[in-house]
Amino acid sequence: MTREDAPVLNPPHLLIESRGPWAGPACGAFVRDGRTLALSGHPVQLVLVQDAVTAAVRGTEEDSAEVRALAEAGGEVWVDDFSLAQRGLAADRLIPEARVVGMPEVSARVLAPGVRVVWH
């Protein structure tokens, strides 16, 4: 077994959420799963795309509470710049824990060795 074949003890996870919080409780449950992974020592990036970008908007405390909890657990919160623009939302409306990213950064992470990608 080569070093590249060795199992990763805490593999990084890229969690991509595309549904808005109002679509039902599944969005919050998905984010909570990411928080659990982060608390277990896994590197986690949560990418909010399409309608899910609204989960990181300040002033929607019931929505952003789950996202903030993930960040407090050590996860990163990434918000797709294109999805924000499509919805007429400015980056300054996001919670402080969120970072606006473009698809080149997301695709680089998707293609990185050992990353487990889950799209919801």
Side-chain angles (χ1 to χ4, degrees):
M1 179 182 292
T2 67
R3 184 178 173 99
E4 290 81 25
D5 295 333
V8 177
L9 295 179
N10 289 327
H13 288 74
L14 183 68
L15 307 178
I16 303 172
E17 176 59 57
S18 61
R19 298 189 304 172
W22 65 85
C27 176
F30 186 69
V31 175
R32 282 191 302 277
D33 289 345
R35 179 180 179 269
T36 300
L37 286 167
L39 287 172
S40 299
H42 295 272
V44 174
Q45 287 87 30
L46 171 68
V47 182
L48 302 174
V49 299
Q50 299 173 334
D51 289 338
V53 298
T54 60
V57 173
R58 278 192 327 262
T60 55
E61 294 305 316
E62 66 281 355
D63 297 337
S64 60
E66 300 287 353
V67 175
R68 286 183 172 182
L70 179 135
E72 289 169 4
E76 296 178 52
V77 179
W78 294 1
V79 180
D80 173 45
D81 60 353
F82 181 76
S83 297
L84 279 177
Q86 278 191 317
R87 285 150 185 81
L89 296 170
D92 63 357
R93 293 195 52 202
L94 299 177
I95 60 174
E97 298 86 353
R99 181 167 66 104
V100 177
V101 298
M103 276 301 132
E105 189 169 1
V106 174
S107 60
R109 191 70 180 140
V110 166
L111 297 172
V115 174
R116 293 184 176 174
V117 180
V118 182
W119 193 302
H120 180 251

